[in-house]
Every structure is written in C-alpha cells, then in structure tokens.
Amino acid sequence: KNSMRLRVFLLALIALVAVACVPASHARTQDAAAPQTSTSTAQTPVKPAFTNDTVIYVSDFELDAQNVTTDQSGGNRPGIIERPRKREEHDPQAQAAKLVNTMSQALVADLQKAGYRAERVPPGGLPPKTGAWVHGVFTEVDEGNSRRRAVIGFGAGQANMDLYVTLSDLSQPDKPLYNAAQDPSSKNKPGAIITMNPYVAAAKFVMEKNAPEKMVKKTAGDISAQVVTQMKKYGAMPSSK
C-alpha cells in the first residue's frame, strides 16, 4: 500500500516537472528566434550614386486646392470670372498653381546658379529613370491632430503649412514620401489624411498659405541650399563658374 502511494506521488511529481518545463522551453525558442527576425528585416541605407554630371530634376510640390463652382451667370461670384487677375486672386486653384509654379521656377534657378544641372519636371509628368529627384508635399495638421495634404481655399485649415521635401536617387528603388489614408472615400480628395514615411529622410519648412512671392522664393532658396549640401555630401560637386 505504501509502495502504491509512493508510485502515485512520483508520477505526479514527474508530471508537474514536465508541465513547468514547457513554457520555459517555448520562451527560449522565441527569444532565440527574435534576433534572426530583426536581422532579416533590417534595412541598410544605400548611398545615392550621384556624380558631378548628375542632373537634378525638380517636381512641383503637391498642394491641394478647394474646388470652387462658379456661377456662369455671374450672380454669385462675378469677380472670379470677370478678369484673369481677379480670378487668380480669389480662385484657390489658381492661387495654389501660382505658388507651386513660383516655387519650382525659383528652386531650379537657384540650383543652376549654384553650379548644378537642374531641370523642372513638366507638371503632371514623371522624372527620368536616372538622376537626382527633388519632390515634396505641403501638409497641415487638423484639429484632431491628423496630418493632411494642405488645402488652399476660403478659410481652409490652418494659416501655415508644413512643407516636407526629399532628395532621392532615381536609379534606386524609391520609397513614397508619404502614405495616403486607407479610406477610399477621402484619399484622393483635397486635404486627405496622410502619414509621413519614417524611412524617408525629408527636410521640413514652414510657410504661410498666403505667403507673398518674395517669401516663396526665400523658402526655395533655403531648400536649394539643403539640396546643394546633400549633393556635396554624396560626392556630386558643382561645376566651376
């Protein structure tokens, strides 16, 4: 009878030890696998392959504008359709186009003045497969602390915009500067919510929506100065004047 109790006790003890060992073994397996997963997903930055002959392509920075429906009879907003100058002053789309155009022209001119070959990518067009690419997006933060593409319009959003600009190598796979919201009903509309890509290095500049031409050109000068610094860092030196 005593031997039977002893046998039952030993069997119970063995079962407890086996159960206690299973989580520990499982935990060690997970710990050992973690570094392997981390190593395999690690991304090594690739140095841009820029040379002294590299052409810098400048794309128009993304800027949204409110859609304005004009009354063709002239009853509601006669000023918008009366004269081109008046239309430019009051039409959000015309304002946004003027700001973006001024920025692109000034940026190309500044880079050329610094001794680099710079060209503007045609509006709506794509840059070539090789070269340095300067592109960016105007953004703003709404009341819910969500970042959106900035919108030019009557009372639209904040008075200031955050401009994110990046320089990338067109010969290497490019990562998007930002990711649009997954909501299909809003991602293609003006002011859509976006998330900046943490894996893309971008410089941030602050501008007023109604910034005068002088201020737009000054911001373009600040951007070009940073682009020149990066080009030199990667070994692409400007031509001698």
Side-chain angles (χ1 to χ4, degrees), residues 115-176:
Y116 287 93
R117 297 170 58 193
E119 299 179 13
R120 181 181 180 182
V121 178
L126 296 175
K129 299 296 184 182
T130 60
W133 185 28
V134 178
H135 55 289
V137 58
F138 288 95
T139 73
E140 58 188 332
V141 178
D142 62 18
E143 295 178 354
N145 205 33
S146 296
R147 187 164 295 280
R148 297 175 176 271
R149 290 198 303 259
V151 178
I152 298 294
F154 305 107
Q158 304 295 322
N160 293 332
M161 304 181 289
D162 294 332
L163 170 59
Y164 288 89
V165 182
T166 187
L167 173 69
S168 58
D169 185 353
L170 288 167
S171 66
Q172 299 175 2
D174 187 45
K175 302 179 183 65

Side-chain angles (χ1 to χ4, degrees), residues 64-87:
D64 289 349
Q66 281 186 343
N67 294 321
V68 178
T69 302
T70 60
D71 183 358
Q72 298 300 326
S73 66
N76 293 332
R77 290 187 180 277
I80 291 181
I81 59 176
E82 278 183 345
R83 296 186 300 276
R85 187 174 183 83
K86 277 292 183 180
R87 182 179 185 278

Side-chain angles (χ1 to χ4, degrees), residues 36-231:
Q36 296 177 6
T37 303
S38 174
T39 302
S40 63
T41 57
Q43 298 181 350
T44 303
V46 180
K47 182 179 179 180
F50 297 153
T51 67
N52 294 351
D53 296 326
T54 296
V55 179
I56 304 175
Y57 295 96
V58 178
S59 286
D60 290 350
F61 299 154
E62 297 179 49
L63 178 60
D64 289 349
Q66 281 186 343
N67 294 321
V68 178
T69 302
T70 60
D71 183 358
Q72 298 300 326
S73 66
N76 293 332
R77 290 187 180 277
I80 291 181
I81 59 176
E82 278 183 345
R83 296 186 300 276
R85 187 174 183 83
K86 277 292 183 180
R87 182 179 185 278
E88 186 176 274
E89 291 176 356
H90 298 285
D91 183 355
Q93 294 183 355
Q95 289 179 359
K98 181 180 179 180
L99 189 155
V100 169
N101 184 61
T102 301
M103 176 71 73
S104 294
Q105 289 181 339
L107 187 50
V108 169
D110 288 342
L111 291 172
Q112 291 175 342
K113 186 177 180 180
Y116 287 93
R117 297 170 58 193
E119 299 179 13
R120 181 181 180 182
V121 178
L126 296 175
K129 299 296 184 182
T130 60
W133 185 28
V134 178
H135 55 289
V137 58
F138 288 95
T139 73
E140 58 188 332
V141 178
D142 62 18
E143 295 178 354
N145 205 33
S146 296
R147 187 164 295 280
R148 297 175 176 271
R149 290 198 303 259
V151 178
I152 298 294
F154 305 107
Q158 304 295 322
N160 293 332
M161 304 181 289
D162 294 332
L163 170 59
Y164 288 89
V165 182
T166 187
L167 173 69
S168 58
D169 185 353
L170 288 167
S171 66
Q172 299 175 2
D174 187 45
K175 302 179 183 65
L177 176 58
Y178 67 87
N179 296 308
Q182 296 301 315
D183 183 3
S185 64
S186 66
K187 67 178 182 179
N188 293 323
K189 292 183 178 180
I193 296 177
I194 62 175
T195 301
M196 302 308 298
N197 191 337
Y199 297 104
V200 175
K204 176 183 175 182
F205 304 86
V206 179
M207 277 187 57
E208 294 182 2
K209 287 186 176 180
N210 61 344
E213 183 174 329
K214 181 179 179 180
M215 185 58 64
V216 176
K217 291 182 176 180
K218 180 183 181 303
T219 303
D222 294 339
I223 296 171
S224 64
Q226 290 215 18
V227 171
V228 168
T229 298
Q230 291 299 310
M231 293 295 289

